[in-house]
Amino acid sequence: MYKYTQLDQALVQERVDQYRDQLTRNLSGELSDEDFRPLRLQNGLYIQRHAPMLRVAIPYGLLSSVQLHALAEIAEKYDRGYAHFSTRQNIQYNWPTLESSADILQDLAKVEMHAIQTSGNCIRNITSDQFAGVAADEILDPRPYCEILRQWSTFHPEFAHLPRKFKIAVSASKEDRAATSFHDIGLFIVKNDAGEIGLRVLVGGGLGRTPIVGSVIREFLPWQHMMSYCEAVLRVYNRHGRRDNMYKARIKILVKALGAEEFARQVEAEFKYSENGPSTLTEAEMNRVRSHFTDRTYPTRPAIEFDTSDKAFTRWRERNVKAHKVEGYNAVVLSLKPNNVAPGDATTEQLHFVADLAEQYSFGEIRVSHEQNLILADVAQEDLKAVWEALKTQGLATPNIGLLTDIIACPGGDFCALANAKSIPIANAIQNKFDDLDYLYDLGDIQLNISGCMNSCGHHHVGHIGILGVDKDGDEWYQISLGGSDGSTLGGYKPAVAKIIGPSFSAAQVPDVIEKIINTYVAQRTPGEHLIETVQRIGIIPFKEAVYPPKVH
Amino acid sequence: MSNPFILNQQLATDDWSLLRPAEGEDAALLNVPTGQVIVPFATWQAQTELHSRTDVGVWLDNTTEPENIAIDWTAFPVIALSFPKFTDGRSYSIAYVLRNRLGYKNQLRAIGDVLVDQVFAMTRLGFDALSLRDDQKIESALHALKTFRTPYQGSTDDTRPFFVRESV
């Protein structure tokens, strides 16, 4: 994985020093809370419901064992012994103190980590496919592109005070596993007819209050121009994005207002001034960064024919073990979604355990997915059984990846100051209603996503089933939607925003409503058809009728 | 009392006065004093007799698009860009356009809500004059100018990203 150079390390250290100085000035009264606010946000620090919340970047979801151990130590030393993996390839601590925040950043800097630009109206953490570099269906490894963008966006002087937050994702495989179409800039690495590598550039995707699938503004951008082109997009946005209304300030609103064609024209006009300029990416730089990710040789390990008589192990392999481009290896998904745990939460003990396991079985590396699970990307098939046995001891082997109980959920009203409603108890109630594994297997792939508010941290718009917490006269209610897709294979590669089925429900009603939806699917499905496909085929009306029976007068 | 003022990374005395219209006052009709003065761009446009003065600079609000106004921007001795709120970053991009596209070489100053923690980025974008908000501590601002030694990306101060700079 990417190892910091002296320059990288110096920058992160200078950031810690800068922040410590800002914090000191704030605590002494020189820097007002109002003026400090955007500065602390750009260092990942929110003021939350119970305490500050610190969001740490995991660039493109990649961690070393050393880093994971350090994250566990931070959870132990400054928090309450656990941490939360978010849908944005970040990790969040819910209970640090403001005064300790600079010390935490210092501890992170020691292991080449930071909280730079994990919040605030700036370019956020660059996200990608959790199977990048090992996926059998990828054109090339997108991580060098992500790392180059990480560096380019870090402390970019022109774009530290944008109209709103700005998120970039990079994907290089046939299947989009990074919800790339729902980012402010989505970059798909593609190959043209001449075999050259370039980028298909999408702009203006996003969730939140106005969910929109991004528009393609460039079908093929030679990779050398990635930075200058992104800079052109950002410059147009920085100057013309709306600042009068924070709900209309994201780039998607600008793209919608201008139309994708006009927006593209303005970007191209801007780009023409920097095309082939100093920011043009060089082969040498690309090779330098790429070399960090291609430094691994896989010892030859045999491909294994597994005995299928062990039902539990077979199930786990079916759901949690994924294909790998090297024969004899697999990627293993560790479920952070057993019943009765907040989705995405992990304890200090689990973090240390996973770090050790990665050290022993997966080249000392761990991935984080936007579905809030962890991945050991390079496990030899010979070791799968041992890994499974080990994972079971820590409750990390729940064989539910991609199933109804593999719920994406934001921290919701239990922790987040923005939330209108709770997410975690709803997730737990659904998990408990559907606790029969055989039945879950029969239901097959279903993505259920829960957000506690319109900000959509739980990506409810792209859930096959989406649940949104809403506030009605001070009470918590839940709106249900169907048919969303993040663009992965299951939805036919077609990113789509879910449709709301009708009036919202109380928390107590939600599990029964989900059951009615599931029963309708089971009654209507054709053999082998997934829920999302059934919804796409028959529409939401049959589901609606099952959930809201017609009134008899 | 003039605001804390930094010119070329040092504490300096501000030789220019800044002319701002009062609430409801028409910028075009402002009475422009003698001596070095920075006037609203609307004033400069309306009062053509100012065009021959070499001691008159202009300040632009953050919605101005200098690249779409066909005048010789390089002739101004001073151009000031306004930050009505430090969290509004439009003037960063306007500074970039003035310096990198329109060839403006004379004094470029930041005015308005200019805070200690913005001066590093402003300097990178080619602001050589910083008229800080009046409550800002000059020592803190001078310290903040040295925040990072080697940034990654190119900007106005050095248009080359680090991987080009380092390999030269």
Side-chain angles (χ1 to χ4, degrees), chain A residues 7-8 11 14 22 25 30 35 39 150-152 154 158 161 235 238-240 243 270 278 285, chain B residues 64-65 67 86-90 93 96 101 117 133 140 147-149 152-153 159 161-163:
Chain A
L7 186 154
D8 301 312
L11 268 166
E14 284 159 359
Q22 291 166 341
R25 280 188 281 128
E30 181 187 334
D35 291 345
L39 307 176
R150 182 192 76 80
Q151 297 183 8
W152 163 78
T154 297
E158 195 179 335
H161 296 286
R235 191 165 296 131
N238 191 32
R239 297 186 71 186
H240 303 300
R243 292 173 195 260
E270 185 66 47
E285 175 61 2
Chain B
T64 307
E65 297 178 6
E67 72 275 32
F86 76 96
T87 49
D88 184 332
R90 278 178 276 201
S93 285
Y96 185 89
R101 194 178 308 167
D117 296 286
R133 196 173 74 188
S140 299
T147 303
F148 300 108
R149 272 168 296 173
Y152 285 122
Q153 62 295 103
T159 55
F162 76 97
F163 58 81

Side-chain angles (χ1 to χ4, degrees), chain A residues 141-149 226 286 289-291 293:
Chain A
D141 187 348
R143 292 172 300 173
Y145 292 79
C146 296
E147 175 57 28
I148 286 166
L149 285 173
M226 177 171 70
M286 182 53 90
V289 179
R290 188 184 290 128
S291 68
F293 298 96

Side-chain angles (χ1 to χ4, degrees), chain A residues 211-242:
Chain A
I212 298 181
V213 176
S215 305
V216 177
I217 62 161
R218 208 13 140 102
E219 275 297 343
F220 189 85
L221 176 78
W223 60 269
Q224 292 89 342
H225 302 308
M226 177 171 70
M227 289 188 291
S228 3
Y229 200 82
C230 285
E231 205 152 291
V233 172
L234 264 305
R235 191 165 296 131
V236 171
Y237 171 55
N238 191 32
R239 297 186 71 186
H240 303 300
R242 284 182 64 170

Side-chain angles (χ1 to χ4, degrees), chain A residues 215-415:
Chain A
S215 305
V216 177
I217 62 161
R218 208 13 140 102
E219 275 297 343
F220 189 85
L221 176 78
W223 60 269
Q224 292 89 342
H225 302 308
M226 177 171 70
M227 289 188 291
S228 3
Y229 200 82
C230 285
E231 205 152 291
V233 172
L234 264 305
R235 191 165 296 131
V236 171
Y237 171 55
N238 191 32
R239 297 186 71 186
H240 303 300
R242 284 182 64 170
R243 292 173 195 260
D244 59 323
N245 179 340
M246 73 172 279
Y247 301 118
K248 295 184 174 173
R250 297 286 293 266
I251 195 172
K252 60 191 171 187
I253 304 294
L254 177 64
V255 174
K256 210 173 142 189
L258 293 174
E261 256 175 59
E262 169 58 17
F263 181 81
R265 190 196 63 73
Q266 292 190 16
V267 171
E268 292 290 336
E270 185 66 47
F271 173 58
K272 129 172 113 57
Y273 290 100
S274 56
E275 190 174 5
N276 301 316
S279 291
T280 308
L281 206 44
T282 62
E283 194 86 47
E285 175 61 2
M286 182 53 90
N287 286 339
R288 178 186 78 85
V289 179
R290 188 184 290 128
S291 68
H292 285 271
F293 298 96
T294 51
D295 56 353
R296 169 164 317 155
T297 48
Y298 288 88
T300 307
R301 304 288 292 267
I304 303 290
E305 281 286 327
F306 288 100
D307 167 22
T308 53
S309 63
D310 185 339
K311 197 178 165 196
F313 180 55
T314 303
R315 260 188 182 156
W316 177 75
R317 277 194 300 109
E318 276 172 23
R319 296 309 317 185
N320 298 32
V321 175
K322 306 290 174 189
H324 196 289
K325 66 182 181 187
V326 178
E327 197 188 41
Y329 287 84
N330 283 117
V332 171
V333 185
L334 282 51
S335 174
L336 294 181
K337 320 286 180 64
N339 291 11
N340 299 317
V341 166
D345 272 14
T347 64
T348 300
E349 192 188 357
Q350 286 177 321
L351 296 173
H352 280 305
F353 171 83
V354 173
D356 286 337
L357 205 64
E359 195 63 49
Q360 192 178 352
Y361 293 110
S362 197
F363 301 96
E365 277 180 19
I366 302 95
R367 317 286 188 95
V368 182
S369 69
H370 83 270
E371 290 94 352
Q372 302 173 286
N373 291 313
L374 299 179
I375 287 103
L376 298 179
D378 301 289
V379 179
Q381 288 173 358
E382 277 185 308
D383 299 332
L384 277 177
K385 192 131 196 185
V387 167
W388 176 63
E389 295 286 358
L391 288 172
K392 280 198 291 185
T393 66
Q394 289 287 324
L396 294 166
T398 311
N400 65 345
I401 300 306
L403 298 178
L404 183 63
T405 55
D406 183 11
I407 295 171
I408 291 179
C410 69
D414 291 300
F415 296 101

